[in-house]
């Protein structure tokens, strides 16, 4: 149920941004969710209405975008998208050592403020 803490954090950040921009109405917020973050978009959508209730975000749309895992091969220095078909090895050199550079976290990507 750690999704509740993530969605609460994203909502808090979006509210702060809306206030900083003197927004009176917000249309949507976009949250990026890394494939290896352990966060399930289903639960983000499920908890969102209760978290935004009574706030400037109450009538907004939540948009969750899944971010694929991207790795940096520590053997050849190239970026690639690991997958189970090649046992997560580097698609360029077959290297086994890599560092995940995208697809780990949960990020507030965008907040769409309605012009009045």
């Amino acid at each position: 149920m750690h999704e509740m803490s993530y969605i609460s954090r994203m909502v808090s950040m979006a509210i702060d941004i809306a206030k900083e921009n003197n927004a009176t109405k917000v249309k949507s917020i976009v949250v990026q969710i890394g494939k290896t973050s352990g966060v399930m978009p289903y639960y983000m959508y499920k908890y969102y209405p209760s978290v935004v209730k009574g706030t400037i975000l109450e009538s907004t749309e939540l948009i969750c975008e899944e971010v694929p895992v991207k790795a940096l091969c520590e053997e050849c220095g190239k970026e690639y998208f690991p997958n189970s078909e090649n046992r997560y090895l580097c698609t360029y050199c077959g290297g086994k050592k890599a560092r995940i550079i995208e697809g780990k976290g949960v990020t507030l990507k965008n907040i769409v403020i309605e012009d009045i």
Side-chain angles (χ1 to χ4, degrees):
M1 188 158 140
H2 60 284
E3 284 85 357
M4 180 63 94
S5 63
Y6 277 107
I7 197 62
S8 295
R9 189 172 332 134
M10 296 299 113
V11 165
S12 177
M13 289 169 55
I15 290 170
D16 288 345
I17 292 167
K19 286 179 182 177
E20 288 170 12
N21 288 279
N22 298 317
T24 56
K25 185 144 173 73
V26 177
K27 288 174 127 179
S28 63
I29 68 168
V30 181
V31 176
Q32 290 184 317
I33 302 172
K35 288 288 254 181
T36 62
S37 68
V39 174
M40 298 179 68
Y42 169 82
Y43 290 107
M44 297 287 276
Y45 287 117
K46 180 179 178 179
Y47 300 138
Y48 187 72
S50 63
V51 173
V52 298
K53 188 172 184 158
T55 73
I56 190 172
L57 302 178
E58 187 166 6
S59 62
T60 61
E61 176 186 15
L62 170 65
I63 301 166
C64 292
E65 298 177 347
E66 282 194 305
V67 178
V69 175
K70 185 190 278 187
L72 175 66
C73 179
E74 294 182 354
E75 295 180 33
C76 73
K78 293 191 176 175
E79 296 177 359
Y80 68 101
F81 295 96
N83 62 62
S84 60
E85 293 173 8
N86 72 341
R87 299 187 333 244
Y88 304 101
L89 301 175
C90 175
T91 54
Y92 297 97
C93 73
K96 296 178 183 177
K97 287 185 168 185
R99 183 170 40 95
I100 296 175
I101 57 174
E102 286 181 15
K104 293 191 291 187
V106 177
T107 309
L108 178 61
K109 177 184 175 185
N110 196 15
I111 173 173
V112 179
I113 296 171
E114 187 171 296
D115 291 332
I116 297 197

